Amino acid sequence: MKLTPLYSHGVAAGFPSPADDHREDSLSLDQHLITRPAATFMARANGDSMQGLGIFDRDLLIVDRSLEPAQGDVVVVALDGQLACKVLDRYRGRLLSANDRYPPIPIREGQELVLEGVVKASIRYHRSC
């Protein structure tokens, strides 16, 4: 596993100075983002329904199946066989988007709902790879 330098100073929309030797430690993104490898998968976000929470089209989602979903968690679900990334509203029995253009999705009795996992993090690419 490759460790990447982690600087102790924040970077204000720029690069650290080459003279900055205040490295805090090294950081493994695997260790930082994936605490339970056997229960974790990644998926790409599709569409703009979660933009209000900073999840954009083609962002990479880190999804943990071992986490118990709580009210307000961002989750990946299969609803009647269709995968979706939404906010869980357990109190009202529905799934919410983070974009006002998309109405809440009620979870109706008889629908097949499979919770695939809780979105632990997302990664946005600022330059196409």
Side-chain angles (χ1 to χ4, degrees):
M1 148 183 15
K2 183 176 184 211
L3 297 177
T4 305
L6 173 65
Y7 288 89
S8 60
H9 290 61
V11 178
F15 291 98
S17 164
D20 187 2
D21 57 0
H22 297 284
R23 287 197 342 193
E24 184 176 306
D25 203 350
S26 292
L27 175 74
S28 162
L29 288 178
D30 283 349
Q31 287 179 335
H32 188 69
L33 295 173
I34 303 173
T35 52
R36 296 173 188 93
T40 301
F41 69 93
M42 292 183 253
R44 290 238 182 249
N46 185 12
D48 62 356
S49 71
M50 297 301 288
Q51 286 183 354
L53 291 175
I55 299 173
F56 293 86
D57 188 48
R58 304 291 301 149
D59 282 358
L60 188 62
L61 306 175
I62 312 297
V63 185
D64 190 331
R65 287 186 160 137
S66 70
L67 295 175
E68 182 66 31
Q71 172 69 15
D73 274 347
V74 177
V75 296
V76 172
V77 298
L79 183 61
D80 292 333
Q82 297 291 322
L83 284 176
C85 176
K86 299 293 176 193
V87 175
L88 179 63
D89 182 358
R90 288 189 136 177
Y91 300 145
R92 294 186 175 166
R94 60 188 185 164
L95 300 169
L96 305 173
S97 296
N99 182 330
D100 291 339
R101 296 185 331 179
Y102 299 92
I105 301 168
I107 303 168
R108 295 186 172 92
E109 192 161 332
Q111 280 185 305
E112 182 183 353
L113 177 70
V114 177
L115 178 74
E116 298 293 342
V118 175
V119 176
K120 183 175 176 181
S122 62
I123 300 171
R124 180 169 320 120
Y125 292 93
H126 295 275
R127 181 178 182 186
S128 60
C129 300

